[in-house]
Amino acid sequence: MADSDQARWGDVVIEPGEQRAHYLTIAESSSGAGVRLPIYVWRGKQDGPTVCVTAAVHGDEINGTGAIRQLAREQPFSIVAGTLVLVPVVNILGFERHSRYLPDRRDLNRAFPGSSQGSQTARLAGSFFDQVIRRCAYCIDLHTAAVRRTNFPNVRADMTDPAIAAFARAFGAELIVSGQGPKGSLRAAACAEGCAAIILEAGEVWKVEPSAVEYAIRGIRNCLVFLGMVEGEPTEPPYRIEADSTKWVRAQRGGFLEFHVGPGDIVNADDVIATNTSLLGDEINTVAAPQGGVVLGMTTMPSVVPGDPICHIAYARKGTLRKAEKIVEGLGDETLHERARGDLASSMLVTDADAEPNSD
Ligand SMILES: [Zn+2]
């Protein structure tokens, strides 16, 4: 639950109306030095909830780190009420190694709420959970796709819980995928203790991608407006789709892919999403969408073996999908939605499904 004392963070006191960059000691290295997490605490003058924005719980997923750095540097809004806590890197030990995992090879995002007597990972999770998450009423946790994949920006949240659902909708993403999150994830553990946590999945590892950063900042601001912590109006998405189920379409044959869809594209049942060829271009087979939906995520690796995931599709009701398709057709190239679609597909070969094969 939210802590009534929002002033003390680690060993510093931050008064209403103040903001401050600071470090929290959360672990100890083998040389005995403290392992410290940078945090940025920004208090409004009026009372309000405590909200944290966390990034790089997976140490290689740094789009959110870039978004938080931009928030702290540019301060695109003011906090008038409550407390905003920005944590650019939660998994600092993985981050320093450009790795998803901690040095003991565990996944921090399966270790929450953690424990003071467990493994290195459990202790780090527990220390962070006690010092930050247990004091927050809301959390926005920023992620990207795992290595060799990319995600169109989408929010994941437990939409069966009214408070969490309202917070997730306030973020203003076009896509929300409903679910509770894996056991031990920061999101699931936080929600279990009354902190309404949602995640944003956007882009890929080891990069700070401009449109993913813009999505994150737009959503964070929207959530803070919703909570009365920031003045102004929210930015509405061009359409909204809430999906209960998603599915990875997998390669049935080994080969080399030419894609016919990009992240964020809307597909209908039986649309061809990739052509699988030999290395010299002879067609082996095509891969089709089993059902209509939105392309949430994709592999960025064109070489596949049977079973490799190609395309992650969020299934949506027929009516909503058609409506969204119409709206997208009318969107200008300068809109965030269209820029994100372009940016995320810019390093993939995406061609029309019915195009003649290249002869050169
Ligand atoms: Zn992640």
Side-chain angles (χ1 to χ4, degrees):
M1 279 300 183
D3 194 327
S4 56
D5 176 16
Q6 298 178 359
R8 182 170 288 281
W9 297 89
D11 54 10
V12 302
V13 170
I14 299 160
E15 299 295 342
E18 284 184 357
Q19 46 184 296
R20 187 155 167 188
H22 178 55
Y23 289 88
L24 287 183
T25 301
I26 52 146
E28 193 176 306
S29 73
S30 53
S31 64
V35 173
R36 302 191 313 156
L37 281 193
I39 67 164
Y40 194 90
V41 181
W42 191 350
R43 295 193 70 192
K45 285 201 170 131
Q46 300 160 35
D47 286 346
T50 303
V51 178
C52 67
V53 180
T54 50
V57 170
H58 289 130
D60 55 355
E61 300 180 2
I62 57 173
N63 262 330
T65 307
I68 289 175
R69 180 191 57 186
Q70 192 166 317
L71 275 181
R73 276 178 76 85
E74 297 181 2
Q75 304 197 356
F77 47 72
S78 297
I79 301 295
V80 295
T83 301
L84 177 65
V85 182
L86 302 172
V87 187
V89 176
V90 177
N91 181 354
I92 194 82
L93 298 175
F95 171 80
E96 286 173 345
R97 292 163 180 76
H98 314 302
S99 167
R100 177 183 182 89
Y101 303 107
L102 279 155
D104 66 3
R105 296 186 288 180
R106 288 185 169 92
D107 185 339
L108 180 60
N109 210 32
R110 300 293 180 273
F112 290 103
S115 125
S116 61
Q117 299 302 313
S119 66
Q120 178 193 38
T121 297
R123 287 171 195 231
L124 199 145
S127 176
F128 181 69
F129 207 81
D130 281 346
Q131 292 191 68
V132 178
I133 301 298
R134 284 200 166 99
R135 306 177 59 191
C136 293
Y138 297 90
C139 172
I140 304 169
D141 190 25
L142 304 172
H143 286 253
T144 74
V147 64
R148 293 187 206 148
R149 297 177 191 169
T150 187
N151 280 336
F152 191 78
N154 65 92
V155 163
R156 310 218 173 153
D158 179 3
M159 300 301 281
T160 62
D161 180 305
I164 298 170
F167 190 56
R169 290 186 184 116
F171 190 94
E174 287 82 1
L175 291 169
I176 298 178
V177 178
S178 184
Q180 294 187 326
K183 188 170 186 295
S185 64
L186 178 62
R187 167 161 75 106
C191 289
E193 299 208 18
C195 168
I198 62 172
I199 67 174
L200 174 70
E201 286 276 357
E204 54 185 300
V205 297
W206 295 323
K207 289 181 176 174
V208 176
E209 297 165 285
S211 49
V213 166
E214 212 175 316
Y215 259 100
I217 292 178
R218 183 183 82 172
I220 292 163
R221 181 186 168 277
N222 279 347
C223 285
L224 298 175
V225 168
F226 168 76
L227 296 173
M229 295 170 64
V230 164
E231 287 171 343
E233 294 299 317
T235 307
E236 286 292 325
Y239 65 88
R240 290 173 180 269
I241 287 179
E242 292 180 15
D244 293 326
S245 68
T246 70
K247 193 170 183 188
W248 276 98
V249 180
R250 292 177 185 277
Q252 298 305 323
R253 301 279 308 276
F256 201 71
L257 299 175
E258 185 172 327
F259 300 109
H260 306 308
V261 296
D265 285 3
I266 292 172
V267 294
N268 293 302
D270 302 324
D271 280 359
V272 176
I273 55 180
T275 301
N276 197 355
T277 71
S278 72
L279 291 176
L280 293 178
D282 295 323
E283 187 169 317
I284 296 168
N285 69 353
T286 55
V287 182
Q291 219 175 303
V294 184
V295 177
L296 267 190
M298 283 180 64
T299 182
T300 55
M301 170 68 95
S303 76
V304 288
V305 298
D308 273 350
I310 295 176
C311 191
H312 193 196
I313 299 180
Y315 295 139
R317 286 196 310 274
K318 257 198 169 155
T320 46
L321 204 59
R322 202 148 294 154
K323 203 170 140 197
E325 210 170 6
K326 275 233 160 69
I327 292 167
V328 171
E329 277 167 17
L331 289 178
D333 291 346
E334 76 293 347
T335 56
L336 177 55
H337 185 275
E338 292 304 281
R339 282 186 285 121
R341 280 210 305 158
D343 288 354
L344 295 173
S346 63
S347 55
M348 299 173 181
L349 177 65
V350 182
T351 61
D352 286 341
D354 52 0
E356 291 296 314
N358 275 330
S359 54
D360 51 13

